[in-house]
Amino acid sequence: MDTNRAKMVPSTMSSAQENRSFVAQETSDDSEDEKPIAASRLVRTQVLSIRGSHANSDDSKGEKPMVTARQLVKPSQDSEDDDDKPLSSRLLLTPKSKYEKRKRLLDHRANSSPKRPKVSHACSSTSTLKIKEEKDDDLIQISQRIKEPTLLTEKKAMRPKWFETFDPEQEEVATIYAVMKDTDYVQKNHVIRRLDGCDFTPIYEWCMKEKQDRKQMSREEKKAAGAEKKKQEEKYAWAFVDGEKERVGSFKVEPPGLFRGRGDDVTINIGQDAPVPECPVPGERWKEVRHDDTVTWLALWTDPINPKKFKYVFLGESSSLKIESDQKKYENARRMLKDYIGKIRADYSRDFTSKDCAKRQIAVATYLIDKLALKGGNEKGEEEADTVGCCTLKFNFLGKDSIRYQNNVEVEVPVYKEIRQFQAGKRGGDHLFDKLDASRLNAHLKQQMPGLTAKVFRTYNASITLDDLLNKEIKDKADLSEKVAVYNHANKEVAIICNHQRTISKSHEEQMSKLMEKTGGLRDNLKELKTTLERAKRGKPQPLTDADGKKRKRNLTPDELEKKIAQKTADIGNMEMGMRTKEDLKTVALGTSKLNYLDPRITVAWCKRNQVPIERMFNTTQLRKFAWAMTVDPDFRF
DNA sequence: GCCCACACTTAGAATTCACGTT
DNA sequence: AACGTGAATTCTAAGTGTGGGC
């Protein structure tokens, strides 16, 4: 299924270029006084930002565009077996885990479609490079952007002379290739045999210089550039829904790789009477303008890499439609599971021993989903990563994002027995529940309660757990940071239940040992202080330097020393606490549950009850998303 | 009933930002 | 300024679930 799209470090597109892509737009710093809007349910939207690669279609400045590229990032830790990898997977410039995940897929594909690779080239003995791009190329997917035509004069001077001889498309591909200089992506068995007649270093160096320059910009310059960019994007960031101005979600079409995304690939969905927004890519038009008020998307396109899957532009998190569905999600989990959970549990417990095997499987699967907050586990295509959820459980497997789920759980005896029985005669790769799939399970759950699906259990479990923990661990006179710690602890428990993992940061060990050193130092200090105290008590002279290594004019009184000791002990305690937390959280991601599973009203109500400012718990993005929950009653319980 | 296309949510990593330290 | 760090933000892949067509 998926792309070998390379991951890039985005380059800063120069603001002037963006100006150009946005030219056609009305100026609307203040979109409040926009002209009246179309009344259709859904959308009158503003234009999307399309990052077309054919930026050079505007050559009014009489200057050729410059190609710039984004640095390619290779997964860091898998050099060991590089040589064995097929070209396709070596082109995966993705993070390690995703890399792993897709490796299998790509290997599979590589085996099943002998046609690739599909990038062909011809390379003459002169330094002219031609790389022909084939229509269905999905082998090398490299994003890049075209540099703004108006170059600063110095930069212009930097351009290699021969660069001028490229036509823009050649520049583009040459640049894509050039920045891969440091890597060994082109392998022996690639259809490209020789590129040694070409010297890519000038392009490469130019790109590196550009990157460097960008990094060198002063804080102010960066800020100014950022603000300018924001301003340009502002007019694409809002939509009118039933007359209400709402924030649009991520609205940028992905930057093109060898695939050249253009306006005519994008379908937009606007109100019947809404004026058709102008396609921001000069000379291009929308593929289609639809007026479908039964869906929420504002725009959609396909990436030819993966033509079966659409990419969408949706409204932002703070939009009424998103809020509505978020609220529905929590209400569903809360009110309904509260009213139904007893019966649901009784039913599946009863069905553990049903005569009907399918029923028993449903019962056990529901039990696991309830108890372990597993995901449903929809069927997946051949081409997708081999990961599982509850209904697709195997005996050895990976979960979403190819993250291994390992857990020992105590289960009730009948469950254990049934699982053993389902297991009988099966092999590692077989499904535990052979009479079951996610849609059957959901169909069953639907009968138990309207709106009930497997994922509701997850929401329910996450939220109820947070609510429980927050209301359990009330310490009378906890100070603010202790309260925050209680919250974070509860959050962590939820993240563990949901198996929200993250990779251990590269520098984790290093950071820990640094902290270790620091606490070691503090401990030494403490020891010294204690000896000094003993001496002071006995009236003996104290060392000239104190525990912190500073010179001291006079001896300290035992009282003063006691105070210092207390302080030092507290410091050590705090630091060790921090270390423990850090260690505890090194593989646990808290954000996902906060954003997707925890009813924000639990947090808000708890903050109100405990005089914790909500800003302590939610950052600005979260505050925006959860604004609807701010008025909740302090007594709210999930 | 089953399949599959479509729509929408969830997810972790990459990148940028902000700020303290040297 | 250069650097390190953690938080915030961006990015888009990978899930879930529905419903229409057979």
Side-chain angles (χ1 to χ4, degrees):
Chain A
M1 39 146 296
D2 235 319
T3 79
N4 344 359
R5 183 187 292 288
K7 265 284 194 248
M8 307 292 153
V9 179
S11 67
T12 343
M13 194 188 234
S14 81
S15 52
Q17 144 139 32
E18 297 195 54
N19 268 337
R20 202 194 43 249
S21 16
F22 292 113
V23 275
Q25 250 346 79
E26 56 207 289
T27 36
S28 64
D29 273 349
D30 179 6
S31 12
E32 304 296 351
D33 17 1
E34 302 240 343
K35 26 188 148 95
I37 25 44
S40 150
R41 165 101 183 142
L42 290 193
V43 172
R44 171 216 186 235
T45 177
Q46 308 233 346
V47 187
L48 298 167
S49 158
I50 305 294
R51 306 232 159 154
S53 74
H54 281 198
N56 49 302
S57 52
D58 174 355
D59 44 16
S60 54
K61 303 223 169 71
E63 208 171 340
K64 253 182 166 184
M66 192 63 168
V67 177
T68 193
R70 305 150 107 207
Q71 191 204 340
L72 308 175
V73 180
K74 205 185 167 202
S76 46
Q77 302 146 42
D78 27 30
S79 39
E80 340 79 46
D81 53 355
D82 254 358
D83 284 342
D84 303 321
K85 278 172 193 145
L87 177 59
S88 55
S89 54
R90 302 184 78 195
L91 284 164
L92 273 180
L93 310 176
T94 50
K96 167 88 171 164
S97 70
K98 295 199 173 161
Y99 176 90
E100 289 299 331
K101 188 176 356 176
R102 289 202 211 132
K103 196 170 101 186
R104 247 175 327 215
L105 167 60
L106 287 160
D107 287 353
H108 170 86
R109 280 179 157 200
N111 294 335
S112 55
S113 72
K115 288 211 305 267
R116 89 197 52 232
K118 294 167 186 158
V119 172
S120 61
H121 91 301
C123 181
S124 71
S125 55
T126 73
S127 62
T128 314
L129 170 75
K130 284 180 187 163
I131 294 180
K132 201 175 102 218
E133 177 196 351
E134 289 188 8
K135 189 73 191 205
D136 60 342
D137 173 13
D138 62 351
L139 184 57
I140 300 183
Q141 259 298 301
I142 296 147
S143 302
Q144 61 90 56
R145 290 169 182 171
I146 300 291
K147 183 73 175 92
E148 154 58 14
T150 34
L151 295 163
L152 300 174
T153 23
E154 324 84 78
K155 291 199 179 142
K156 213 185 321 185
M158 287 282 307
R159 291 166 63 174
K161 258 269 148 31
W162 53 265
F163 217 106
E164 307 285 340
T165 66
F166 273 173
D167 86 28
E169 298 193 15
Q170 289 180 357
E171 283 184 16
E172 187 172 349
V173 178
T175 305
I176 289 166
Y177 183 79
V179 291
M180 294 168 91
K181 178 175 150 311
D182 287 343
T183 63
D184 54 353
Y185 296 114
V186 178
Q187 271 191 321
K188 293 181 202 75
N189 60 352
H190 195 277
V191 64
I192 298 177
R193 301 276 179 237
R194 292 185 57 226
L195 281 172
D196 42 8
C198 308
D199 179 10
F200 291 93
T201 44
I203 305 180
Y204 174 81
E205 274 157 18
W206 190 87
C207 291
M208 291 304 118
K209 170 93 171 40
E210 277 289 281
K211 201 182 145 213
Q212 208 50 30
D213 288 354
R214 246 177 284 117
K215 232 168 143 184
Q216 295 288 313
M217 285 199 298
S218 72
R219 175 163 298 197
E220 284 66 36
E221 287 175 298
K222 274 186 187 162
K223 221 169 207 164
E228 175 64 18
K229 201 172 157 201
K230 258 233 159 93
K231 197 178 147 198
Q232 297 302 335
E233 289 178 354
E234 179 68 9
K235 46 181 174 274
Y236 304 96
W238 300 92
F240 286 83
V241 183
D242 295 340
E244 295 295 323
K245 186 180 168 195
E246 312 242 51
R247 190 171 273 284
V248 176
S250 177
F251 56 85
K252 290 171 192 162
V253 172
E254 289 164 40
L258 290 186
F259 153 54
R260 305 183 192 316
R262 311 189 201 194
D264 63 359
D265 294 312
V266 176
T267 299
I268 62 170
N269 187 34
I270 60 174
Q272 189 68 247
D273 310 319
V276 177
E278 196 163 344
C279 176
V281 181
E284 303 286 351
R285 33 193 316 176
W286 303 116
K287 181 180 180 188
E288 189 191 336
V289 177
R290 270 194 230 170
H291 310 291
D292 183 349
D293 65 2
T294 66
V295 293
T296 76
W297 56 266
L298 310 180
L300 125 184
W301 68 97
T302 57
D303 188 331
I305 289 300
N306 197 193
K308 294 223 154 76
K309 274 205 162 150
F310 292 126
K311 308 273 190 179
Y312 293 91
V313 171
F314 294 116
L315 286 162
E317 303 273 43
S318 57
S319 66
S320 49
L321 282 168
K322 290 281 196 191
I323 287 172
E324 211 176 278
S325 82
D326 221 29
Q327 287 173 328
K328 222 164 107 191
K329 172 177 75 183
Y330 292 119
E331 271 316 297
N332 211 18
R334 181 168 93 106
R335 179 171 40 74
M336 307 187 87
L337 266 170
K338 267 206 139 147
D339 296 344
Y340 289 79
I341 194 71
K343 182 162 186 324
I344 290 167
R345 288 180 174 153
D347 283 358
Y348 68 57
S349 299
R350 183 197 61 220
D351 285 348
F352 287 156
T353 52
S354 165
K355 288 202 181 72
D356 181 346
C357 179
K359 255 189 177 171
R360 293 203 305 277
Q361 293 203 352
I362 284 181
V364 173
T366 312
Y367 173 86
L368 293 179
I369 281 174
D370 184 18
K371 177 132 179 165
L372 304 177
L374 298 186
K375 292 209 240 316
N378 287 317
E379 294 301 323
K380 307 183 73 187
E382 276 289 287
E383 305 238 307
E384 290 166 286
D386 190 17
T387 62
V388 311
C390 182
C391 295
T392 45
L393 272 179
K394 298 174 183 177
F395 303 104
N396 182 21
F397 56 81
L398 301 174
K400 182 173 175 179
D401 290 312
S402 294
I403 286 179
R404 190 166 293 281
Y405 176 86
Q406 264 178 337
N407 197 357
N408 290 319
V409 231
E410 258 180 53
V411 298
E412 290 166 34
V413 176
V415 173
Y416 178 81
K417 279 188 180 157
E418 284 310 310
I419 290 178
R420 290 305 295 261
Q421 209 209 310
F422 300 152
Q423 205 173 358
K426 287 180 190 158
R427 309 208 298 194
D430 295 343
H431 283 175
L432 175 63
F433 299 113
D434 52 303
K435 301 201 163 42
L436 194 56
D437 65 41
S439 47
R440 269 186 261 251
L441 179 65
N442 281 337
H444 169 79
L445 294 174
K446 278 252 150 56
Q447 293 176 350
Q448 302 237 292
M449 171 189 120
L452 185 60
T453 62
K455 90 187 185 82
V456 179
F457 283 86
R458 246 167 108 75
T459 312
Y460 169 80
N461 265 311
S463 285
I464 197 75
T465 302
L466 181 75
D467 195 61
D468 273 355
L469 290 173
L470 288 184
N471 285 284
K472 199 179 284 172
E473 305 188 28
I474 296 283
K475 200 168 125 191
D476 266 355
K477 43 183 200 295
D479 67 21
L480 189 55
S481 65
E482 284 174 310
K483 289 177 189 167
V484 171
V486 166
Y487 183 91
N488 288 338
H489 173 76
N491 194 168
K492 178 190 138 198
E493 291 303 311
V494 172
I496 289 170
I497 290 175
C498 294
N499 201 35
H500 291 146
Q501 296 200 15
R502 58 176 188 163
T503 53
I504 302 172
S505 102
K506 261 203 324 275
S507 54
H508 178 81
E509 281 312 315
E510 195 187 336
Q511 287 172 18
M512 285 306 278
S513 50
K514 262 188 201 160
L515 287 171
M516 200 73 104
E517 242 170 69
K518 263 191 187 165
T519 48
L522 289 181
R523 280 179 188 291
D524 291 347
N525 292 167
L526 183 62
K527 229 183 239 167
E528 278 178 52
L529 280 171
K530 282 181 173 165
T531 0
T532 312
L533 175 63
E534 286 311 308
R535 294 172 76 88
K537 276 182 181 165
R538 281 179 278 138
K540 290 195 178 171
Q542 296 169 25
L544 288 174
T545 52
D546 69 9
D548 296 323
K550 281 181 220 133
K551 287 224 172 99
R552 189 174 40 227
K553 292 190 191 90
R554 61 174 182 84
N555 286 340
L556 293 170
T557 66
D559 265 6
E560 286 170 322
L561 282 165
E562 299 267 18
K563 237 182 218 162
K564 275 189 172 258
I565 287 172
Q567 182 58 53
K568 197 62 76 179
T569 313
D571 286 352
I572 292 172
N574 284 337
M575 202 151 196
E576 288 181 333
M577 167 83 92
M579 284 172 69
R580 271 197 301 277
T581 314
K582 194 183 173 74
E583 184 67 24
D584 276 359
L585 293 180
K586 71 179 177 187
T587 57
V588 184
L590 300 188
T592 304
S593 51
K594 213 182 226 180
L595 211 56
N596 300 304
Y597 288 104
L598 298 174
D599 188 332
R601 291 171 297 179
I602 300 169
T603 304
V604 174
W606 176 83
C607 282
K608 285 181 176 175
R609 289 198 298 274
N610 294 284
Q611 292 84 47
V612 176
I614 189 65
E615 294 76 18
R616 250 343 248 277
M617 284 7 282
F618 289 154
N619 65 34
T620 43
T621 321
Q622 292 157 349
L623 284 171
R624 201 181 305 141
K625 172 168 178 175
F626 298 138
W628 61 270
M630 294 304 151
T631 51
V632 72
D633 190 288
D635 293 327
F636 174 90
R637 294 293 305 269
F638 186 75

